[in-house]
Amino acid sequence: EVDLEERLVDLDLRSDSDVPDVPPPTDSTPEILKRALSGLSARWKNWWIRGILTLAMISVFFLIIYLGSFMLMLLVLSIQVKCYHEIITIGYRVYHSYDLPWFRSLSWYFLLCVNYFFYGETVADYFATFVQRREQLQFLIRYHRFISFALYLTGFCMFVLSLVKKHYRLQFYMFAWTHVTLLITVTQSHLVIQNLFEGMIWFLVPISSVICNDITAYIFGFFFGRTPLIKLSPKKTWEGFIGGFFSTVVFGFIFSYFLAQHQYFVCPVEYNSETNRFVTECEPSELFQMKKYSLPPLLQPVLGWETVNMYPFQMHSIALSTFASLIGPFGGFFASGFKRAFKIKDFADTIPGHGGIMDRFDCQYLMATFVHVYITSFIRGPNPSKLLKQLLILQPEQQLSVYKTLKSHLIEKGILQPSLRG
């Protein structure tokens, strides 16, 4: 017991080199690819494996886009769960020798609690008319936050009851590990879905910009990279970083032009309670209506044009692409630092040549937060449709009171004429 206590006390004094090793992931590359690429050097073999799997993932992504918004939401949820699993698994492997009681069970329980809270909030916001028709759901929505808190409190009490002498410090380490992982994965995936409800274009352009930057930075770095960018990622180069930036801005500008032409991508995603389906039909806002812009005087002689026709959203796409290429990679650098701290190459071996799901989406989570903040700060205005849904939930006397107040306000502003009777 004395030895174990000293071992735990010394845990805080460990250097990074003393962190327990995580078993290296196995090579999950399909045998057919191994045989086909057996004659290539390791560098080119990795190039081809990454390229083939990237094209396959992009093809699947386009298929899911075709299947609609609901399938995209399921994709986001699936990625969230897998990323959470990969991070939690690393923690479990690092400290598995201590046999912490209930660690994995409580980790998954907290994941369910937080998802219940966030998705319940989404249902209350966007499915009000659907909820209004079902009494059971009305109860759950009315007391949603209390139920969510009660569920979390249950998990909290279970954690306290699971505390074991000589394991206190490690158990609190893992408790914090779980909550930080929830913050990184669940909160950000919730914001991704919130962005999706604003219109599929707010989902596709940011995600595609990060993917484009990842691919083009890799290509520029592979062929032209000479100058190291950051010590956390030795393979990252300034050539790749700069090449990825310009390529991403151009891609985002052109990609936005094509998406802005279609209602399917620009209209907010709404739930139709009559058909029980998500619909994307609307009169496109000014962001997605072609406008004429005057070019700066310096560019007019170069391009030979005085004006140019474009969608206002394309200007916003420049901001999104710039963030994706200049700030987004810091999510990857953060992940690289995390992996170095635990002496692992990848989060998992789910995707051959790429590592785990978290390895591919480490930049996306930072991007999701930026897009949500960008929309709420510069784009979103009052939403009459959402306000109407909330009014329909009110009791009849409350609806009548709102009607009278609104009528009096419109009469005062001269928009409505007062009735003769009164």
Side-chain angles (χ1 to χ4, degrees), residues 25 40 63 78 94 102 112 186 226 236 246 286 345 352 395:
L40 299 176
L63 175 62
S78 302
V94 169
W102 297 4
L112 290 174
V186 183
R226 296 293 183 272
K236 297 290 192 301
F246 286 106
E286 293 184 358
K345 181 183 178 183
Q395 297 297 322

Side-chain angles (χ1 to χ4, degrees), residues 111-124:
L111 177 67
L112 290 174
C113 289
V114 176
N115 269 310
Y116 175 81
F117 170 74
F118 279 122
Y119 281 93
E121 294 286 304
T122 300
V123 170

Side-chain angles (χ1 to χ4, degrees), residues 173-354:
Y173 283 162
M174 301 316 297
F175 184 76
W177 183 294
T178 298
H179 281 67
V180 171
T181 306
L182 289 171
L183 177 66
I184 293 173
T185 57
V186 183
T187 305
Q188 307 305 316
S189 64
H190 172 70
L191 295 181
V192 171
I193 292 179
Q194 293 290 307
N195 298 338
L196 177 60
F197 275 107
E198 295 294 328
M200 205 178 292
I201 196 169
W202 291 105
F203 174 86
L204 294 177
V205 171
I207 285 182
S208 300
S209 295
V210 172
I211 294 173
C212 174
N213 183 71
D214 192 33
I215 294 173
T216 54
Y218 177 77
I219 292 174
F220 277 94
F222 186 88
F223 288 105
F224 309 109
R226 296 293 183 272
T227 312
L229 175 64
I230 187 171
K231 290 182 179 180
L232 282 173
S233 296
K235 294 183 179 180
K236 297 290 192 301
T237 64
W238 276 103
E239 291 80 4
F241 186 74
I242 296 171
F245 165 69
F246 286 106
S247 301
T248 303
V249 171
V250 173
F251 166 82
F253 192 82
I254 297 173
F255 189 51
S256 299
Y257 173 79
F258 288 106
L259 294 184
Q261 301 178 44
H262 305 282
Q263 281 191 8
Y264 181 72
F265 297 115
V266 303
C267 290
V269 177
E270 296 183 350
Y271 179 77
N272 190 321
S273 57
E274 297 180 358
T275 61
N276 288 328
R277 297 180 61 184
F278 288 101
V279 294
T280 50
E281 298 176 357
C282 68
E283 181 66 30
S285 67
E286 293 184 358
L287 277 178
F288 309 107
Q289 295 180 11
M290 190 73 74
K291 290 186 177 180
K292 182 178 291 187
Y293 293 89
S294 297
L295 289 173
L298 292 176
L299 292 179
Q300 292 180 9
V302 178
L303 299 176
W305 306 329
E306 293 184 358
T307 61
V308 62
N309 292 325
M310 56 183 290
Y311 295 100
F313 180 82
Q314 289 179 269
M315 302 298 293
H316 295 289
S317 75
I318 296 175
L320 299 178
S321 300
T322 299
F323 185 91
S325 53
L326 296 185
I327 307 299
F330 280 84
F333 301 153
F334 177 86
S336 296
F338 179 89
K339 289 183 285 187
R340 278 179 169 269
F342 294 97
K343 297 185 286 187
I344 56 177
K345 181 183 178 183
D346 298 312
F347 282 94
D349 58 353
T350 309
I351 312 171
H354 292 266

Side-chain angles (χ1 to χ4, degrees), residues 78-93:
S78 302
I79 291 172
Q80 173 222 113
V81 172
K82 181 57 180 171
C83 289
Y84 182 83
H85 170 259
E86 291 177 357
I87 299 175
I88 289 296
T89 299
I90 292 173
Y92 176 73
R93 286 177 176 174

